Every structure is written in C-alpha cells, then in structure tokens.
Amino acid sequence: MVAARNRIFDAGLYDPIVDAVAAACTSSGSILDAGGGPGRYLAAALSSAGDDAVGIGLDLSKFCARSAAKRHPRVLSVVADLWAGLPVLTGGVDTVLSVFAPRNVAESARALTEGGRWVIVTPEPGHLAEIVGPMHMLTVGDGKSGRLARELAADFAEISERRVRTTVRFDESALIDVAAMGPAAFHRTRDELAAAAAELAGRAAVTATLDVTITVARRR
Ligand SMILES: C[S@@+](CC[C@H](N)C(=O)[O-])C[C@H]1O[C@@H](n2cnc3c(N)ncnc32)[C@H](O)[C@@H]1O
C-alpha cells in the first residue's frame, strides 16, 4: 500500500491536492501530520513553510513511518495511535495536518498552540467517482463537511474551506496503484486489481476526478 501510494505521488497525479495543502501551510514552526501515511503532504508543507519549519509524521504503520522519515530531512517519524493521544506537549505544535486520515478533535486542539491551525483534507462524493466502482474501491465522502464544521465548532474559529476539483489521467498501472494504496488492497489481490484496470482502461488512460475540500481552522 505504501509503495503504491508513493508511486501515485511520484507520478504527480495528486499534485493538485499536495500543492493546495502546501499552500495552506505557509507559517513556520512545527507541523504534525496525524495519520500522515508515507509523508508526501508533510514534505510539501515543510518545503512551503520555510527553512526553520520542522515536521512530525505520525502513523500507526511502521512502513509509513519509514517512508515519511525519508521524504524530508526535517521530518521526525513516530509510530503511534492517534486515538491514544498525540505524543506532543500541550500547545506544542503550530500546525496539525489531517489528510484523508482519522481526526482526533480533542487531541488536535490540545496539541495546537493558541492561534495554531488545523489543515484537514476530506474527500467529496465526486472524488475518483469514475473509478471507485470498477476498481473495487470504497465509496467516500458523504456530506462530511457539515459534520466536520460541527466537530470543530467548540475549539476552533475562522474556519475556511477551499475546494480542489480537477481531472487527472490514470493509465493502467496508475489505476492499479490508486486502488492498491487504499482499503481495496485488503480485499482484492493485485491480480484482481490488474484485471479490473485492464477491463476499465484497455490500453488507454482513464480520466478521473480529484475532488476534495481543504478546511483550515484556527485554534481558539
Ligand atoms: C488514507 S491514509 C492517508 C495517508 C496520508 N495522509 C496520505 O493522504 O497520503 C490513512 C492513514 O491513516 C493511518 N491511520 C489510521 N488509523 C490511525 C490511527 N489510529 N493512528 C495513527 N494513524 C492511523 C493509516 O495507517 C494511513 O496511513
């Protein structure tokens, strides 16, 4: 899953989302990427935030943590369960990132400095809609933004949203990878995903939509 996710990033297929996350992380200081996976978003955020910014990549998976540690020289990688508490001091970080990852609202609020920002990426219902069914992926994004605003209301203010909606071309191997980097990998073999990609793409590439909302909220 980590290798597939890294190939998708390295092919630039998620660059519109990566770039928008980086643009939302311009303040220097410390950035904690909770459920950061292989660390692509954290690396981009650090590059955008400036030379004195430092990053903590946190993930349940040691394979993700290893990848994140290699993605940027100013990343410290931690294997931890974000539901068991974020392993940082209260008010210890300037930015928390949550990208397609579980969100621990109380802990993110505790970890952030006053005025610190939480940058959250959530998928919209149209995200990868053209390929979700044929590639046996899970359906995502059902009115999550309204729920998110309610989750944030107690501890966060100045909540802003930016929608990133664009199309990308996936060739046959990218179709396999975009499915294999998510939960489809748990219930389909790579051969099954390859057969689905061949049926969907044949020899041509498939156009699919990236559709996410980036929410930025300031810690009260
Ligand atoms: C869909 S992936 C997104 C990864 C990364 N943010 C990205 O977009 O490339 C969700 C990530 O959350 C991690 N995760 C899930 N539950 C977690 C938990 N309780 N604590 C820490 N990480 C968790 C998974 O291991 C996985 O890497």
Side-chain angles (χ1 to χ4, degrees), residues 8-90:
I8 290 292
F9 287 131
D10 292 342
L13 291 167
Y14 269 39
D15 276 1
I17 308 174
V18 172
D19 293 346
V21 168
C25 296
T26 47
S27 57
S28 57
S30 49
I31 304 172
L32 169 66
D33 192 1
R40 178 70 185 101
Y41 295 94
L42 181 57
L46 285 172
S47 298
S48 144
D51 292 348
D52 57 347
V54 292
I56 304 166
L58 182 150
D59 204 281
L60 206 48
S61 148
K62 66 182 177 189
F63 303 105
C64 286
R66 269 189 206 130
S67 170
K70 291 181 196 147
R71 275 266 174 199
H72 197 284
R74 276 179 276 123
V75 164
L76 164 76
S77 241
V78 183
V79 177
D81 178 357
L82 63 82
W83 295 121
L86 299 174
V88 291
L89 294 175
T90 297

Side-chain angles (χ1 to χ4, degrees), residues 96-99 103 118-122 148 152 213-217:
V96 172
L97 271 184
S98 297
V99 184
R103 299 183 294 271
W118 194 4
V119 177
I120 301 166
V121 178
T122 45
L148 179 57
L152 296 177
T213 294
I214 301 180
T215 304
V216 180

Side-chain angles (χ1 to χ4, degrees), residues 135 170-177 194 197-199 201-205:
M135 290 305 300
F170 289 89
D171 65 16
E172 210 174 309
S173 67
L175 281 173
I176 301 170
D177 281 334
E199 194 173 327
R203 293 290 128 203

